[in-house]
Amino acid sequence: MRILVVGGGGREHAICWALKKSPKVTELYCAPGNGGIASVAECVPIQVNQFEEIAQFAIDQTIDLVVIGPDDPLSEGIVDHLEAKGLSVFGPRQNAAIIEGSKVFTKQLLKKYNIPTAAYESFERYEDAVAYLRRQQAPIVIKADGLAAGKGVIVAQTLGEAEKALHDIMVAKVFGESGNQVVIEEFLTGQEMSILSFVDGETVCPMIPAQDHKAVYDNDKGPNTGGMGTYSPLPHIPQAVIDESIETIIKPTAKAMVAEGRPFRGVLFAGLMLTPNGPKTIEFNARFGDPETQVVLPRLKTDLLDIFLAAVNGRLDQMKIEWSEEAAVCVILASEGYPGSYPKGLPIEGLEDVQDSIVFHAGTAVKDGGVVTNGGRVLGVTALGRDIAEARAKAYADADRIRFQGKHNRTDIAKKALV
Ligand code: AMP
Ligand code: GLY
């Protein structure tokens, strides 16, 4: 089969890497891809928002299945656009991708169907939001309604900080239209866990859980990023809690989307907080997580293409998905300055010295035959091992073998799972 993956980050590298193992895949393309994806797929210079060009390429190349990686094109309706041209696509349609694209929509959905989440209020007017905020207590969480490249959530430690966030979002419009509405939410405490599931309507096939590290520095200090590292499994979280999350949050949400006339088909990503009062929803995403995918797919034993095809053909309920018992740890190597501004085009050395890891490229390009930095998150170094300790030791040993100017990474990925 001829497959096209849309996207160009570490997630798409992991998807291409997994698809490449399928004996059914004869041609694999990625638009636009990156310096590392080029080693497993043919990269085509089309950007993820060029729907017309993507459709034309897929038609000309008689592509059998298009797989969409990132959130932005999903929210903008790429699946509807490609399906209207007769293409077969893995990913949610626009009316279902809203579960990530609008936090107000999702909070209302969860409330309507009694699905556990933080208490909240939403606002369209800045004055109303501020008046409400001044009656609350810190810490408190402010969320821009729409997509904001992972930066639209502010966990404010003081009401002053929260008020500044409201002003930035609703008045200064730092996230543009995404700030037309805000959610002000109760601060939840507990361990975080991500569960990604293959979903087709009411059929939910959960993947093995993973944990991300959002803050840029060790001990969860500093501003939030897209994710600085992940691991799976989570040995310190009881299976009963994982099962409870699936039964009380993920399955009811898939069902609610069907009831709303917005059946979800694709990967539904639940960001969960394991509070003293049970698991609660932090957010839903309409796609694979990045860098969750870089630890989840290396543990997948079933052919990924078979799962995609089953979902697209409404046969997901007949799939038996198998996972390896091994543990996986992914350490992200980031550019100097990330998650703020950062330089690009710096040469990366030592990739050939890597011994025990899979290196997923997140933001790289090929220049003059060499690999250079081309993004904030540059590489994801994933290692598998008998347990978290072994996987972690291998990933860090290989992370140290890779060099570029200004490289930084957290040194405590998966540390929580060691105690
Ligand atoms: P999100 O972009 O929705 O994943 O939020 C980013 C991060 O903010 C999450 O991973 C949590 O660490 C934190 N967060 C979001 N909502 C809450 C909440 N209600 N209480 C505590 N932390 C939260
Ligand atoms: N790692 C978090 C996300 O993909 O949104």
Side-chain angles (χ1 to χ4, degrees):
M1 296 187 80
R2 302 168 62 78
I3 314 294
L4 169 65
V5 174
V6 173
R11 161 183 49 217
E12 288 76 23
H13 192 175
I15 294 170
C16 287
W17 173 89
L19 284 173
K20 186 78 183 172
K21 296 198 287 187
S22 169
K24 296 190 191 68
V25 174
T26 50
E27 287 300 331
L28 184 59
Y29 297 95
C30 189
N34 67 34
I37 294 175
S39 64
V40 281
E42 188 175 322
C43 296
V44 280
I46 305 175
Q47 299 308 312
V48 301
N49 58 358
Q50 294 179 298
F51 296 180
E52 208 51 60
E53 287 81 353
I54 291 171
Q56 202 52 53
F57 176 85
I59 292 164
D60 292 347
Q61 296 294 328
T62 59
I63 294 295
D64 296 298
L65 181 72
V66 187
V67 178
I68 312 297
D71 46 350
D72 281 331
L74 289 168
S75 279
E76 285 157 22
I78 190 170
V79 175
D80 309 64
H81 187 91
L82 298 180
E83 284 183 342
K85 308 265 177 180
L87 293 159
S88 188
V89 192
F90 179 80
R93 293 184 185 149
Q94 190 170 26
N95 72 351
I98 191 173
I99 200 162
E100 172 164 13
S102 169
K103 296 203 190 302
V104 174
F105 166 85
T106 302
K107 294 300 288 190
Q108 284 167 350
L109 181 87
L110 297 175
K111 194 183 234 177
K112 177 171 171 188
Y113 291 88
N114 266 317
I115 297 166
T117 189
Y120 80 102
E121 291 290 335
S122 63
F123 299 92
E124 288 178 20
R125 278 170 32 103
Y126 172 69
E127 292 74 21
D128 298 343
V130 170
Y132 171 82
L133 178 70
R134 289 185 180 157
R135 299 195 301 274
Q136 307 306 309
Q137 285 180 345
I140 194 157
V141 184
I142 309 292
K143 302 186 170 183
D145 175 49
L147 297 180
K151 295 177 188 161
V153 173
I154 294 92
V155 179
Q157 297 304 327
T158 64
L159 288 186
E161 196 186 325
E163 202 163 319
K164 177 176 181 308
L166 281 182
H167 192 272
D168 286 349
I169 295 170
M170 302 190 89
V171 181
K173 292 266 182 207
V174 293
F175 305 121
E177 300 275 296
S178 287
N180 288 352
Q181 293 188 71
V182 292
V183 168
I184 301 183
E185 191 173 274
E186 167 199 9
F187 174 75
L188 300 174
T189 54
Q191 288 264 357
E192 283 185 55
M193 165 170 83
S194 306
I195 300 183
L196 285 59
S197 304
F198 298 105
V199 173
D200 178 26
E202 291 196 13
T203 305
V204 172
C205 296
M207 303 184 213
I208 33 112
Q211 199 168 56
D212 191 8
H213 299 65
K214 289 251 168 86
V216 68
Y217 304 125
D218 282 8
N219 300 316
D220 298 326
K221 297 281 187 283
N224 267 349
T225 67
M228 292 298 290
T230 41
Y231 64 100
S232 173
L234 314 180
H236 53 305
I237 294 178
Q239 186 61 38
V241 175
I242 295 168
D243 293 342
E244 185 184 353
S245 306
I246 294 165
E247 296 303 325
T248 65
I249 295 178
I250 304 175
K251 287 184 180 172
T253 300
K255 219 169 166 175
M257 290 295 278
V258 173
E260 293 291 308
R262 299 171 181 274
F264 190 97
R265 172 192 290 160
V267 171
L268 183 62
F269 167 147
L272 305 162
M273 186 76 87
L274 307 178
T275 77
N277 302 320
K280 294 195 180 188
T281 315
I282 299 177
E283 62 161 355
F284 278 104
N285 295 323
R287 50 168 176 85
F288 278 104
D290 192 346
E292 284 83 348
T293 308
Q294 290 89 311
V295 290
V296 168
L297 290 186
R299 297 189 56 207
L300 176 66
K301 291 211 280 192
T302 308
D303 185 321
L304 181 60
L305 180 61
D306 283 343
I307 303 174
F308 286 163
L309 293 174
V312 169
N313 297 323
R315 289 185 287 102
L316 198 55
D317 56 337
Q318 293 158 32
M319 266 322 277
K320 187 169 168 354
I321 301 179
E322 292 189 279
W323 302 95
S324 135
E325 292 296 316
E326 283 178 304
V329 173
C330 173
V331 177
I332 297 291
L333 308 183
S335 291
E336 184 167 18
Y338 177 77
S341 58
Y342 48 81
K344 284 186 184 179
L346 301 172
I348 303 173
E349 285 163 23
L351 285 169
E352 60 292 344
D353 301 330
V354 168
Q355 291 178 4
D356 290 316
S357 304
I358 316 161
V359 180
F360 292 119
H361 291 225
T364 69
V366 175
K367 196 173 137 197
D368 305 328
V371 181
V372 298
T373 66
N374 193 38
R377 292 187 291 177
V378 179
L379 298 164
V381 182
T382 296
L384 292 164
R386 272 183 317 247
D387 52 22
I388 294 284
E390 187 181 284
R392 188 171 184 272
K394 286 183 185 173
Y396 272 112
D398 280 326
D400 287 344
R401 294 185 172 104
I402 300 171
R403 300 174 302 278
F404 53 89
Q405 194 190 317
K407 173 187 107 171
H408 71 92
N409 59 263
R410 280 182 62 156
T411 65
D412 63 347
I413 302 302
K415 212 169 171 182
K416 272 190 209 121
L418 295 178
V419 288

